Amino acid sequence: MTLNTTEQPEGARYRARHERMRALGWALLGLVLLGLSAAVGSLITDQIADEEAFLGARPCVDAEAVRGTEDCLRTIRATVLSAQGAKSGSKGVDVFRVRLQAPVPAPADQPFDLRSNGDLAHLVKPGGDVEVTVWRDVRVSVRQGGTSETLPGLPDEATMYVGLALVFVWSAVLAFIAAFGSARRARCHATGRPVTPRVGFGWAKGLAIVVVPLAVSYFSLTIWDAWTAAAMTVAIWALIAFPATFAALRWDRDR
């Protein structure tokens, strides 16, 4: 009986030290995640400014198109040098790659990829003439006759940066909650009080932390533009994240 009473406090002290180290680790992770969210968040303003400028851009007049320095939509007419099927990216996606005959001003001087099953893939041939619309250093679309195709990479996805920042914010909040829980369990072990059960954290919850903000940002992007989409992403995310986090914390409490 005496042996049991001496072993119990020693085990409790070990568990208390272990929980303190866990609390420190969670707190440090939360700080790192906050730093990442701040880094991504610092890009949002510039991205939204570019998106608004692009959405408000108008076709250049003749003098602006000649200078090529105006913030307007330029149309570059050029002759196709080569047009053929190709593989793009690490996954080898099928695309229809087009190269224009020099001299062509940037950024149209670089090869660009069209959809392999798009209308232009059946129309564009070497020696044919096409019109490439560019904005700043971004290729916007390609046209031949009455058929056009929008190119990927346009400055219209700033809201996704908001979703990515929220991924880090939500993760940081949960890391600090976990740090608080570990510190509380350490005090319970040290004082001999009963310990509240941990809230389970499986792969489904971890996946939700990533999927929900990005899904909300994509949803907002399809309905609103620029700052409105960013604000609605945060608002909708808050309506989901706060109740979900509160419910998870309440779920495993002692009754």
Side-chain angles (χ1 to χ4, degrees):
M1 192 70 180
T2 305
L3 180 62
N4 184 45
T5 57
T6 56
E7 287 179 349
Q8 183 67 25
E10 180 62 29
R13 283 195 295 269
Y14 171 79
R15 290 191 293 271
R17 288 194 300 270
H18 179 69
E19 291 294 349
R20 291 191 191 100
M21 295 302 297
R22 288 172 60 92
L24 179 60
W26 281 116
L28 292 176
L29 177 61
L31 292 176
V32 171
L33 292 170
L34 277 184
L36 291 174
S37 66
V40 175
S42 65
L43 303 174
I44 294 175
T45 301
D46 292 339
Q47 291 292 325
I48 292 181
D50 287 344
E51 179 180 337
E52 290 182 327
F54 170 70
L55 294 175
R58 296 294 180 265
C60 299
V61 299
D62 292 340
E64 294 173 334
V66 170
R67 287 194 296 268
T69 57
E70 304 296 334
D71 200 8
C72 55
L73 297 171
R74 288 187 294 146
T75 298
I76 299 174
R77 296 173 176 84
T79 302
V80 177
L81 177 63
S82 65
Q84 58 188 0
K87 299 289 186 179
S88 177
S90 58
K91 296 183 179 180
V93 179
D94 290 328
V95 296
F96 188 70
R97 184 157 298 162
V98 179
R99 290 179 173 85
L100 301 180
Q101 185 174 315
V104 182
D109 57 340
Q110 299 298 315
F112 53 85
D113 296 335
L114 302 174
R115 295 194 303 271
S116 61
N117 58 349
D119 293 336
L120 283 181
H122 302 290
L123 296 176
V124 174
K125 306 294 182 186
D129 294 331
V130 296
E131 296 179 351
V132 181
T133 301
V134 301
W135 178 80
R136 295 183 181 176
D137 59 347
V138 178
R139 290 169 298 197
V140 177
S141 63
V142 179
R143 174 184 294 273
Q144 185 180 66
T147 305
S148 65
E149 181 176 324
T150 301
L151 297 175
L154 301 184
D156 59 353
E157 298 183 354
T159 312
M160 296 303 293
Y161 282 83
V162 180
L164 185 59
L166 292 178
V167 169
F168 292 124
V169 169
W170 198 355
S171 301
V173 170
L174 296 182
F176 287 128
I177 291 175
F180 173 80
S182 292
R184 183 172 181 271
R185 285 189 294 272
R187 290 194 299 271
C188 290
H189 287 306
T191 58
R193 290 180 297 173
V195 179
T196 302
R198 293 180 175 87
V199 177
F201 190 82
W203 64 267
K205 292 180 181 179
L207 187 63
I209 292 174
V210 177
V211 171
V212 171
L214 295 180
V216 171
S217 62
Y218 179 79
F219 170 77
S220 300
L221 178 64
T222 60
I223 300 179
W224 299 284
D225 294 328
W227 284 111
T228 303
M232 291 305 298
T233 297
V234 175
I236 297 173
W237 169 81
L239 292 175
I240 297 173
F242 290 163
T245 303
F246 180 78
L249 292 175
R250 294 282 298 182
W251 188 264
D252 246 358
R253 293 191 65 178
D254 290 338
R255 291 171 173 80

